[in-house]
Amino acid sequence: MTVRLPGARGTLRTYEPRTEPLLVAPGAPLASRTVFSAAHVVADPFADVTPDSPAAVDWDATLAFRRHLWSHGLGVAEAMDTAQRGMGLHWAGAAELIRRSAAEARAVGGRIVCGAGTDQITGGSLAEIRAAYEEQLAVVEEAGAQAVLMASRALAATAKGPEDYLEVYGHLLRQSAEPVILHWLGPMFDPALQGYWGPADLDAATDVFLQVVAAHPDKVDGVKVSLLDARREVDLRRRLPRGVRCYTGDDFHYPELIAGDEQGFSHALLGVFDPLGPLAAEAVRVLDTGDTAGFRALLDPTVGLSRHLFEPPTRYYKTGVVLLAWLAGHQSHFTMVGGLQSARSLPHLARAYELADGLGLFPDPKLAEERMKTLLTLYGVDQ
């Protein structure tokens, strides 16, 4: 069992895959941390679409993957950026995804949160932005799911300063039926969100963000921070009102942030837990016993893969996530909505395979090897 993998400079090297997976079975419910995996969508490979067409989703495969995550005790964060919101999945498709996944969660007893944003519009007045948020919030609430108020490209383009963010978010929080999760997505994930909350300075932006939380602590279950800055996340979580959780969205430093320190810890809502689901769940179960060292021993080795998947341009991490789902046997093809399977180079994909295989993430290493060889052959790499 060997695979010829391409490197960054056009050279080929021989890699010997492992023959046995890391065996992780579903276990007890997670107790010490609330953990959500943001989940990808599975495209319908037989649909006659173009990159500009509405997304064609394979609903059976998409829901089956969510059942896989729930079976290991993870919650599902639905219709987030991992599901290609604004990068192939438009609002109509996201609304259908929310309805279907929320119904599936009820059927199997899985926990779910769903993203509500403004991606049905590209711009507009503050009133129009509020109305777009309200439309999506209503869909999430009517589906019986908890809402994640996602950052809005339209608001980032329209807002004149912090007061506009305070007005829009205050309006939404006052009328939300249940506490929501506020999502601060950094520009490395979406360049259109540069300067979110008003100030360009991140310290000043953090102050505005915390003002939103402090004004309505009873309506904020937690905050999801995706800035890839561990120090800033720790500082922010120490300033949160009592009872408001910090959900790390930091795909570079998640083991240390979830483990925490003497002053607190982060829960998790992470895109990298899509491919790491079973291993991540097992690590948290170890943490539930008070064994922080054992937790870190399981999760620290995964950071190399995560940093690779999320390397700049970070927003294209979804391509690696879907590749690994295909190699792991969770779907029958490597096709993405919007044609995003072309967003990463072959050397990048080859390295993702190598790192994931080294961790034992593929339930059937032989299947993963055969599929990777098929992909390499399509690119002209003889095996």
Side-chain angles (χ1 to χ4, degrees):
M1 292 176 64
T2 60
V3 184
R4 298 178 73 210
L5 297 177
R9 294 181 174 84
T11 58
L12 293 174
R13 54 193 170 81
T14 298
Y15 173 68
E16 185 174 342
R18 62 187 292 163
T19 57
E20 298 294 334
L22 178 68
L23 296 177
V24 179
L30 308 185
S32 63
R33 304 291 188 273
T34 300
V35 181
F36 293 100
S37 167
H40 74 280
V41 293
V42 182
D44 178 355
F46 303 116
D48 185 11
V49 294
T50 68
D52 296 329
S53 302
V57 177
D58 181 336
W59 294 112
D60 289 342
T62 293
L63 294 176
F65 187 75
R66 280 131 184 85
R67 292 194 296 272
H68 154 72
L69 294 173
W70 285 319
S71 75
H72 286 276
L74 299 169
V76 168
E78 189 56 276
M80 304 289 292
D81 55 298
T82 303
Q84 296 182 242
R85 289 289 292 272
M87 294 185 68
L89 185 69
H90 304 302
W91 167 235
E96 182 69 11
L97 179 63
I98 289 166
R99 295 185 185 102
R100 288 176 179 259
S101 290
E104 195 72 16
R106 288 194 300 274
V108 303
R111 185 165 183 176
I112 190 168
V113 296
C114 298
T118 65
D119 48 325
Q120 71 272 55
I121 62 173
T122 57
S125 66
L126 291 182
E128 290 168 328
I129 291 167
R130 286 197 306 271
Y133 263 127
E134 289 168 348
E135 177 189 355
Q136 296 203 13
L137 188 59
V139 169
V140 173
E141 291 179 343
E142 288 167 6
Q146 183 181 11
V148 180
L149 285 185
M150 302 174 70
S152 163
R153 291 176 179 173
L155 182 56
T158 299
K160 303 302 183 184
E163 63 282 353
D164 288 341
Y165 289 92
L166 293 169
E167 192 277 328
V168 169
Y169 278 88
H171 177 87
L172 295 169
L173 290 172
R174 283 190 295 272
Q175 70 175 40
S176 64
E178 301 291 341
V180 305
I181 298 173
L182 297 180
H183 188 187
W184 185 356
L185 191 68
M188 67 288 294
F189 289 93
D190 187 342
L193 300 177
Q194 183 72 44
Y196 211 73
W197 307 113
D201 176 75
L202 281 177
D203 289 335
T206 298
D207 290 340
V208 177
F209 183 52
L210 288 169
Q211 283 183 56
V212 173
V213 177
H216 305 276
D218 59 321
K219 289 297 186 72
V220 181
D221 164 75
V223 299
K224 176 184 170 358
V225 186
S226 299
L227 299 176
L228 303 183
D229 184 332
R231 180 198 60 80
R232 185 171 298 281
E233 179 175 319
V234 171
D235 290 346
L236 187 152
R237 82 183 181 204
R238 290 175 179 170
R239 297 172 62 189
L240 290 172
R242 182 179 295 276
V244 176
R245 308 179 195 196
C246 181
Y247 293 90
T248 188
D250 187 331
D251 301 278
F252 285 4
H253 307 100
Y254 51 93
E256 65 193 77
L257 291 164
I258 297 170
D261 55 31
E262 66 283 354
Q263 297 185 50
F265 56 82
S266 295
H267 299 272
L269 197 166
L270 286 162
V272 76
F273 280 5
D274 181 301
L276 293 182
L279 178 55
E282 179 64 19
V284 175
R285 276 191 286 270
V286 171
L287 187 61
D288 289 344
T289 70
D291 184 1
T292 302
F295 165 80
R296 295 294 298 267
L298 281 171
L299 213 54
D300 282 0
T302 69
V303 172
L305 170 63
S306 188
R307 285 177 175 261
H308 177 72
L309 295 177
F310 286 78
E311 71 181 11
T314 301
R315 62 190 180 277
Y316 294 125
Y317 75 87
K318 296 93 168 173
T319 302
V321 165
V322 173
L323 171 80
L324 297 183
W326 172 56
L327 295 178
H330 293 300
Q331 56 192 79
S332 62
H333 58 86
F334 178 41
T335 304
M336 299 176 67
V337 298
L340 209 64
Q341 67 271 12
S342 66
R344 289 295 200 186
S345 69
L346 185 62
H348 177 93
L349 299 177
R351 181 60 176 158
Y353 160 72
E354 182 179 6
L355 290 169
D357 179 74
L359 292 168
L361 295 184
F362 302 129
D364 183 345
K366 183 62 176 175
L367 174 66
E369 177 200 357
E370 291 171 350
R371 288 185 168 184
M372 192 65 206
K373 284 182 175 179
T374 297
L375 181 65
L376 291 163
T377 300
L378 288 173
Y379 275 79
V381 180
D382 293 331
Q383 295 298 310

